[in-house]
Amino acid sequence: MFATSTHTEEPPVYSSLDAPQIYIEKGEYGKETPDDVLHFINPTQDSISSLALRYSVPSVALRKRNNLYADQLLAARKTLLIPGEYYQGPSLSPEPIDGEAEEMRKAKIRRWMVTCKVSDYDIALLYLDQAQYDVDSAVESYLSDEKWEREHPLTSSSKGKSAPSRSRRKFGTQTGISGQL
């Protein structure tokens, strides 16, 4: 009734293209990693997948290096860092008008201002100039100054102008000729 067949064929071999790809960070402990490459984003042409193909960098590595948790977050950026572990070479994007060094300087200023929650551009320049544009040491310097100011508040002295009086002059009553009569 039932025919038993002996199945001697082997299952198909999986190719390396079908297997899920797991990316491991390149670079070994103790070795110096190369500098990252700055890419200036063109919002009409650039996406995470197009940049990954153009630079031959895994998209996971691009997202991780730039703290991008979704591809849509790329639209809010002007620049993107290409990990130096995967790509060593010149930037494949057109240079901005100000130049790459100026864009890096502006990015550091913005990062310092956001980290320290300070909106005054001149204060950002002051701290970053003192730290030779090392953002971490500039932030540390600012936070230590803030701590010192909290520990040593200004005290008012009796010298100088006195506080304005709280009494208000009443207008409309007993003023003018009718008030004098």
Side-chain angles (χ1 to χ4, degrees), residues 24-34 85-86:
I24 300 172
E25 282 288 322
K26 286 189 177 180
E28 298 173 22
Y29 293 108
K31 285 192 175 181
E32 210 173 294
T33 58
E85 298 92 27
Y86 296 95

Side-chain angles (χ1 to χ4, degrees), residues 169-181:
R169 199 171 156 195
K170 295 181 182 178
F171 292 103
T173 58
Q174 310 251 331
T175 59
I177 297 179
S178 63
Q180 294 177 5
L181 297 176

Side-chain angles (χ1 to χ4, degrees), residues 33-49:
T33 58
D35 289 336
D36 295 335
V37 176
L38 185 67
H39 177 85
F40 298 98
I41 295 174
N42 181 349
T44 59
Q45 295 178 353
D46 291 337
S47 66
I48 292 290
S49 57

